[in-house]
Structures are given as structure tokens and as C-alpha cells.
Amino acid sequence: MEDKTEITDKKQKPWLFKKGQSGNPNGRPVGSVSIVEGIKKKLLEIEPENKKTYLDLFLSRYFRKAIKDGDVGLLRDMINRIDGMPQQRTDITSGDKPIPILNAIHSNHSSQEADETTKED
């Protein structure tokens, strides 16, 4: 039986996707703005009625809701953004012995990182 990759490959139109070629070679059109860029720009504007930036107003409301109202979810989010999420490490073993394929992946990844470090020096 064919796997999904083989079936998908047969359904693809050969002129649509060529290996090693970008599907969007020209990139984003000049002058287009992402929603994130639009929000950042708007946050820096001054709100006429309060004479404060939208960022100041947003942060005031955020802090009030998190601290004064005691919103635990917002408090957790605030702490995670200040200090970053705690690292979670997982030890994957089989009967306290390393799994060979994972060791091979890890050592390959480590050697690639070492190569990148030497290139930067």
C-alpha cells in the first residue's frame, strides 16, 4: 500500500512546486503591512482624550486587571513575559539506558551547533 507522501506526490501538478525553488520568490509586496506592525504603530500613537499613548493605556488596564482584580491568568502571563517560561527538561531513557536513535540525533545536532559556532568565530 502507498503511503500518504507517495499519493500526494502523484497528485501534485509538476509545474507548481519545483524542488529548491521558493513559492514566493519576490516576497511580501512593497508597502504591505502585517497586522503586528499595524498594532505596534497604533500603540505608539497618542489617544487624544487622555493624552497618553495607547500602549500606556493598555498597560494600565492590563496591570489593573492582573493585580487589582487578581486575574491569575494575567498574573501568570505577566510573570512568564518578564522572566520567560521555565525550562522543562525531559529525560528519555529505556530502562535507565539511552535510546540509540535519540543519541544519534542528539550527537548530530550537537556537532551541527559546534560547526555553526566555529563559523561565527
Side-chain angles (χ1 to χ4, degrees):
M1 185 174 164
E2 294 179 311
D3 68 0
K4 288 183 181 182
T5 303
E6 291 171 351
I7 293 169
T8 303
D9 287 346
K10 287 181 181 178
K11 289 181 180 180
Q12 293 291 341
K13 296 174 177 79
W15 63 88
L16 285 181
F17 300 101
K18 293 184 175 67
K19 190 172 183 170
Q21 181 179 345
S22 170
N24 187 12
N26 297 328
R28 182 181 293 189
V30 175
S32 67
V33 179
S34 72
I35 186 121
V36 173
E37 290 300 317
I39 291 170
K40 286 179 180 179
K41 186 176 177 182
K42 187 69 175 177
L43 285 171
L44 297 176
E45 290 180 11
I46 295 177
E47 199 275 326
E49 193 174 304
N50 294 309
K51 308 283 190 244
K52 294 182 179 179
T53 65
Y54 287 105
L55 178 61
D56 289 334
L57 296 170
F58 170 79
L59 291 174
S60 295
R61 183 169 290 184
Y62 185 90
F63 277 79
R64 188 177 332 115
K65 184 149 181 69
I67 296 168
K68 199 170 186 183
D69 298 348
D71 188 317
V72 176
L74 285 179
L75 286 168
R76 185 180 309 114
D77 187 48
M78 189 184 308
I79 291 167
N80 288 340
R81 292 184 186 280
I82 292 169
D83 287 337
M85 294 287 289
Q87 269 195 344
Q88 297 180 2
R89 300 209 180 255
T90 305
D91 179 32
I92 303 174
T93 60
S94 175
D96 290 332
K97 294 182 180 163
I99 299 172
I101 187 70
L102 295 176
N103 281 343
I105 292 169
H106 178 71
S107 64
N108 185 26
H109 180 71
S110 296
S111 66
Q112 287 176 350
E113 285 180 342
D115 289 345
E116 290 173 9
T117 305
T118 55
K119 286 179 186 175
E120 292 175 3
D121 295 339

